[in-house]
Amino acid sequence: GQSLEQPSEVTAVEGAIVQINCTYQTSGFYGLSWYQQHDGGAPTFLSYNALDGLEETGRFSSFLSRSDSYGYLLLQELQMKDSASYFCAVPTSGTYKYIFGTGTRLKVLA
Amino acid sequence: DAMVIQNPRYQVTQFGKPVTLSCSQTLNHNVMYWYQQKSSQAPKLLFHYYDKDFNNEADTPDNFQSRRPNTSFCFLDIRSPGLGDAAMYLCATSRDNNQPQHFGDGTRLSIL
């Protein structure tokens, strides 16, 4: 089967750095996306990695290792507004569907 | 400049009373998706369209149907809503396979 696993919850303080991991098991691989979702809101796209390595976008970076079937989202200089759920997602082979990870709830403390 | 627009944001219906949720997009994307999301869970795919080609998930209840009359619009029809159908319904689009998805703000459905 196809699945993506994430930690259910991560807590950190303002100004800190936090890493949210995602391990995946898929038949075929085309890339790993990350989405942020605030309570009551819709998911918003953060990043996409198709190739191994680190992609940086401001305070957020995303990393992919295809050989390890693993990726992570790195959030630096945490702010209270970063408190949200974060989902990793992969497109599935031969379809236009995406599989979402279990989601990680990030709590940022003052 | 909303690109994926869902109406209404909040919908209340009665148990068993048909309801339709709507989604429109200004992105001209080929693929449109409907997801159901319940509290503290990941979005669950119900259907997706590539252009007019409809794809139904095997575990999507028969109670749920969808229409895509043109590129810009997509509808989710719930024929006889039950209490378990109360959830956030998310519409999303993507240009093609392996492209990021763009989500609407969602419609939160409540069942009385």
Side-chain angles (χ1 to χ4, degrees):
Chain A
Q2 303 185 93
S3 64
L4 293 88
E5 294 294 326
Q6 302 177 234
S8 59
E9 191 170 296
V10 174
T11 301
V13 297
E14 262 189 311
I17 300 172
V18 74
Q19 178 174 313
I20 299 174
N21 299 321
C22 175
T23 56
Y24 59 86
Q25 183 177 12
T26 59
S27 54
F29 179 79
Y30 300 94
L32 183 70
S33 299
W34 287 94
Y35 292 83
Q36 178 192 60
Q37 186 177 27
H38 288 99
D39 286 346
T44 55
F45 172 75
L46 292 177
S47 68
Y48 175 71
N49 294 66
L51 301 175
D52 291 350
L54 191 67
E55 297 277 345
E56 298 182 59
T57 308
R59 293 188 298 113
F60 292 5
S61 303
S62 56
F63 172 82
L64 175 66
S65 170
R66 288 174 294 172
S67 60
D68 296 322
S69 299
Y70 164 75
Y72 65 73
L73 181 69
L74 190 73
L75 297 86
Q76 303 183 69
E77 300 173 19
L78 279 176
Q79 301 175 8
M80 297 295 289
K81 67 178 182 179
D82 298 329
S83 293
S85 292
Y86 293 83
F87 294 93
C88 56
V90 295
T92 56
S93 174
T95 77
Y96 297 94
K97 301 188 323 182
Y98 285 78
I99 298 174
F100 280 81
T102 49
T104 299
R105 188 169 186 84
L106 172 63
K107 294 183 180 178
V108 180
L109 306 177
Chain B
D1 293 352
M3 297 177 287
V4 182
I5 303 161
Q6 292 189 241
N7 284 306
R9 288 294 310 276
Y10 302 92
Q11 176 74 56
V12 181
T13 192
Q14 292 178 331
F15 182 94
K17 185 174 181 181
V19 65
T20 294
L21 310 182
S22 70
C23 177
S24 63
Q25 56 140 336
T26 60
L27 298 164
N28 203 34
H29 281 174
N30 290 316
V31 196
M32 293 188 79
Y33 307 82
W34 278 106
Y35 290 90
Q36 179 193 66
Q37 188 178 29
K38 298 189 175 181
S39 181
S40 301
Q41 297 181 17
K44 177 182 179 299
L45 183 64
L46 297 173
F47 319 96
H48 73 280
Y49 283 89
Y50 181 87
D51 196 11
K52 285 191 174 285
D53 291 336
F54 174 72
N55 294 272
N56 189 33
E57 291 302 294
D59 58 353
T60 298
D62 293 340
N63 197 24
F64 289 78
Q65 296 180 331
S66 185
R67 297 170 282 137
R68 189 179 185 186
N70 54 52
T71 300
S72 301
F73 287 87
C74 197
F75 300 96
L76 173 63
D77 302 307
I78 308 177
R79 291 191 294 182
S80 182
L83 296 178
D85 298 328
M88 173 77 91
Y89 289 88
L90 296 163
C91 174
T93 72
S94 67
R95 180 178 295 111
D96 212 321
N97 198 11
N98 310 328
Q99 298 294 314
Q101 293 185 296
H102 299 263
F103 284 84
D105 288 336
T107 295
R108 183 165 294 282
L109 179 66
S110 299
I111 314 295
L112 300 181

